Amino acid sequence: MALRTPSRRRGPKRDPEGRMPLGSHLRELRNRLVIAAVAVVLGAVAGWFLYNPAIEALSAPLTEAAVAQNREGDIELNFNSVTSPFDLKVKVSVFLGILVSSPIWLWQLWAFVTPGLTRKEKRYAGGFVVVAVPLFLGGAALAYLALPRAVAFLVDLTPDGTVNYVDAQVYLGFVMRILLAFGIAFLLPVVLVALNMVGLLAGRTMLKAWRWVVVVCFTFAAVATPSPEVTAMFTLALPMCALFFLAIGISMLLDRRRAKREGYADLADDEVSPL
């Protein structure tokens, strides 16, 4: 009697509609988080060797503000403990690791959010990831360009005759959070389109909330750029609004194509909506 050779263990099976059991979803989430974390760690190792030029670039807005106000010796970065330089180097390395590994963890995010796409829709996945990486990096770069005015405004509040030794961890933590926040904010339109593609969010639903989207974009930009000049706020808020409206347009186009494909394009919009 011949023995049956054990078959190789394959990944979680999906039904024809792309559904997976809850346990399979959790395992897939765990695996993708591990891959993303390993990518960030490897990027942080590379960032460890780029620490010095990164510090110069991140502290440039503060240095330029001090030079512009002729207060080079009164406004400087300060390390207030023996371990502070090491802690800061680790944080900056992780920050650089997130930037360097963005193509990998963005791909893992996209692959987890859109597991049930049809074969035709999956062809667009690579294109969306290619778009997401420049959006993330572009949002961080745009925030960096608007940062000097905000830092100059805040430093200018230092009274004459006093010194402002800025804690390095506090300042650089503030700068890195702002850059990451705007990078992630520029990714949200891509996530909205992904949710629309899997049928969780209709374009019509997003369009109804456009007023709140505009308010949130301008509020976020105003908080992130505490400068009296409106130019900095508009520089950040207008691209965010444009990206959200672009996501709404793409989602409504996908809804229309989906309605035609399923044969009920003549129904009302609220009946066509997957919600």
Side-chain angles (χ1 to χ4, degrees), residues 117-136:
L117 296 181
T118 64
R119 182 176 300 179
K120 183 178 180 180
E121 290 171 334
K122 286 181 178 179
R123 297 175 185 174
Y124 302 102
F128 276 106
V129 174
V130 169
V131 171
V133 174
L135 282 179
F136 174 73

Side-chain angles (χ1 to χ4, degrees), residues 24 32 34 36-37 39 43 95 106 120 128 130 140 152 155 178-179 209 217 224 247 269:
S24 299
R32 297 197 180 281
V34 169
F95 169 73
L106 282 173
K120 183 178 180 180
F128 276 106
V130 169
V155 167
I178 292 297
L179 298 184
C217 289
D269 291 330

